[in-house]
Amino acid sequence: MFGYRVPAPDEAMLISGGRRGLGGAPFRVVTGHGKFVLPVFRKTRFLKLAMCEAEVVETCVTKQGIALTVRAVIAFKVGNDTESIVNAGQRFLSDQDQMSILTGRIFAGHLRSIIGSMTVEEIVTERQKLATEVLDTSKSEMAKIGLHVDSLQIQSIDDGDTGYIEAMSAPHKAAIQRQAQIAQAQATQASAEAQQEAARNQAEYARRTAIVQAEYSAEVDRAQAKSAQAGPLAEAHAQQEVLDAKTELAQRAAELRKQQLVAEVVKPAEADAERIRVLALAEAERMKIQAEAAASYDRVALDRMLIDQLPLIVKEAATGLSGANVNVLNGADGLGEIAAGLVGQGLTILDSVRANLSPAQQQEQRPAVGKQRGIEIE
């Protein structure tokens, strides 16, 4: 808008003409907002409030008379208050670059003054103390011209060709070198010890590996030997089992043969012995009957006795044969033949008894026997 002026955020607008500013200043200060300015009747100028920088390179003489070239950088700006703006505007508004030049000169003078009261050792070792003292001594003077110093940094201190700073640092360098050498020696020793430890570990690992490999090889050898013996052992076990089976088979064959011999030889012999015993008993009975018949001449009774004893004789023979182990080969026919044989033996015994009697006695006994038989039949 025509006649309306607004300063930038880092500027202060100075309006001259009309009424005076604060403290009788020939201008009014406007910051942070705009203002209507009548053309022709009012005049506006702008003062920068941004940060500025001034570099100082000054040769100073210390308390010991040693010349030092000091390089410093000052960061400053116009104060934000109206008083500082008025002071700076009255001094630097027409040529604002003069702020850096004037600031450098002010700090150069204070720097020479303060360094002249200090030794080289203090300056080198206490740079922050030097900067603080320079700031404190220049603060009031800078405030008078409306400037505010934010920081002061001592960038470098050089003694030229005198070599004082280098000589001063020699003991420290020597100490540092000694420490470096000691550290290097310790590092070398630690490295050697580490290498030795690594070598021992490798040797120990190699030893353990060799032991494990030896144990593994021994185990493999044992397994191979066992595997090599497995075949012969298995064959030997198989042969032993075959021998055991053959032995058992032979024992069974011998047992079977024994049973066969008992059935073929012992049992028939026992049967023959029993038959002979029966015959002997029958013969003894016959002789007994003859003796009794001869004594009593009762042939009828003798004949009757023989007839009565015949079933008993046959029974005794059958009883003797019943305990014998007789093999019947032809079934029922064989049993019939055995029974017929027993009856035939009994009749033979009876005929033998009759044959020993005299013809007359036989003739006498026949009717009686016949009669007796006829009676029994009826």
Side-chain angles (χ1 to χ4, degrees), residues 111-173:
L111 194 62
R112 286 194 303 269
S113 175
I114 294 172
I115 288 177
S117 63
M118 299 176 66
T119 63
V120 178
E121 289 79 6
E122 292 175 344
I123 295 171
V124 172
T125 58
E126 299 179 5
R127 288 190 181 186
Q128 187 59 39
K129 179 181 177 181
L130 173 61
T132 302
E133 289 185 1
V134 172
L135 283 175
D136 292 339
T137 56
S138 62
K139 183 179 296 184
S140 59
E141 189 173 353
M142 293 292 290
K144 290 179 181 179
I145 60 176
L147 301 178
H148 174 75
V149 179
D150 288 338
S151 66
L152 170 63
Q153 295 294 329
I154 306 299
Q155 290 186 330
S156 63
I157 299 173
D158 188 10
D159 62 351
D161 297 333
T162 60
Y164 186 90
I165 295 176
E166 185 177 358
M168 182 180 66
S169 64
H172 299 286
K173 289 183 178 179

Side-chain angles (χ1 to χ4, degrees), residues 97-112:
D97 292 336
Q98 289 294 321
M99 289 189 292
S100 298
I101 297 172
L102 182 58
T103 300
R105 290 175 180 175
I106 292 172
F107 272 87
H110 290 291
L111 194 62
R112 286 194 303 269

Side-chain angles (χ1 to χ4, degrees), residues 213-231:
Q213 289 178 350
E215 292 177 352
Y216 177 75
S217 299
E219 185 176 356
V220 171
D221 294 339
R222 287 195 297 271
Q224 290 178 350
K226 186 176 181 180
S227 176
Q229 294 175 357

Side-chain angles (χ1 to χ4, degrees), residues 181-193:
Q181 292 174 356
I182 293 172
Q184 182 64 35
Q186 291 176 350
T188 303
Q189 182 178 359
S191 176
E193 292 177 355

Side-chain angles (χ1 to χ4, degrees), residues 43-293:
K43 187 175 183 179
T44 58
R45 298 288 298 273
F46 294 91
L47 179 66
K48 61 181 181 181
L49 304 178
M51 181 69 66
C52 298
E53 180 181 299
E55 185 175 356
V56 177
V57 178
E58 190 68 23
T59 300
C60 307
V61 179
T62 65
K63 183 179 180 180
Q64 299 156 314
I66 299 173
L68 298 178
T69 300
V70 180
R71 182 183 295 274
V73 176
I74 304 100
F76 67 96
K77 67 182 291 297
V78 177
N80 294 327
D81 58 289
T82 303
E83 183 180 0
S84 297
I85 294 173
V86 170
N87 292 333
Q90 290 178 345
R91 292 170 176 80
F92 305 109
L93 185 59
S94 60
D95 188 4
Q96 298 185 33
D97 292 336
Q98 289 294 321
M99 289 189 292
S100 298
I101 297 172
L102 182 58
T103 300
R105 290 175 180 175
I106 292 172
F107 272 87
H110 290 291
L111 194 62
R112 286 194 303 269
S113 175
I114 294 172
I115 288 177
S117 63
M118 299 176 66
T119 63
V120 178
E121 289 79 6
E122 292 175 344
I123 295 171
V124 172
T125 58
E126 299 179 5
R127 288 190 181 186
Q128 187 59 39
K129 179 181 177 181
L130 173 61
T132 302
E133 289 185 1
V134 172
L135 283 175
D136 292 339
T137 56
S138 62
K139 183 179 296 184
S140 59
E141 189 173 353
M142 293 292 290
K144 290 179 181 179
I145 60 176
L147 301 178
H148 174 75
V149 179
D150 288 338
S151 66
L152 170 63
Q153 295 294 329
I154 306 299
Q155 290 186 330
S156 63
I157 299 173
D158 188 10
D159 62 351
D161 297 333
T162 60
Y164 186 90
I165 295 176
E166 185 177 358
M168 182 180 66
S169 64
H172 299 286
K173 289 183 178 179
I176 292 174
Q177 290 177 356
R178 285 196 304 271
Q179 293 177 358
Q181 292 174 356
I182 293 172
Q184 182 64 35
Q186 291 176 350
T188 303
Q189 182 178 359
S191 176
E193 292 177 355
Q195 291 178 356
Q196 293 175 359
E197 183 66 21
R200 286 194 296 270
N201 292 335
Q202 290 179 356
E204 180 65 19
Y205 178 77
R207 185 184 69 83
R208 292 181 180 178
T209 303
I211 292 173
V212 172
Q213 289 178 350
E215 292 177 352
Y216 177 75
S217 299
E219 185 176 356
V220 171
D221 294 339
R222 287 195 297 271
Q224 290 178 350
K226 186 176 181 180
S227 176
Q229 294 175 357
L233 288 175
E235 185 177 358
H237 286 308
Q239 292 178 357
Q240 183 65 35
E241 291 178 357
V242 171
L243 291 177
D244 293 341
K246 289 183 178 180
T247 302
E248 184 178 0
L249 183 61
Q251 291 177 352
R252 291 183 179 180
E255 185 67 24
L256 180 61
R257 182 58 183 166
K258 179 180 178 181
Q259 294 177 0
Q260 290 177 353
L261 290 176
V262 169
E264 293 176 359
V265 178
V266 176
K267 295 299 182 179
E270 291 179 352
D272 291 341
E274 184 65 20
R275 184 178 62 80
I276 294 171
R277 185 181 69 80
V278 170
L279 292 176
L281 291 174
E283 182 65 20
E285 190 68 23
R286 184 185 66 81
M287 293 178 66
K288 181 178 179 181
I289 293 172
Q290 287 180 353
E292 291 177 355

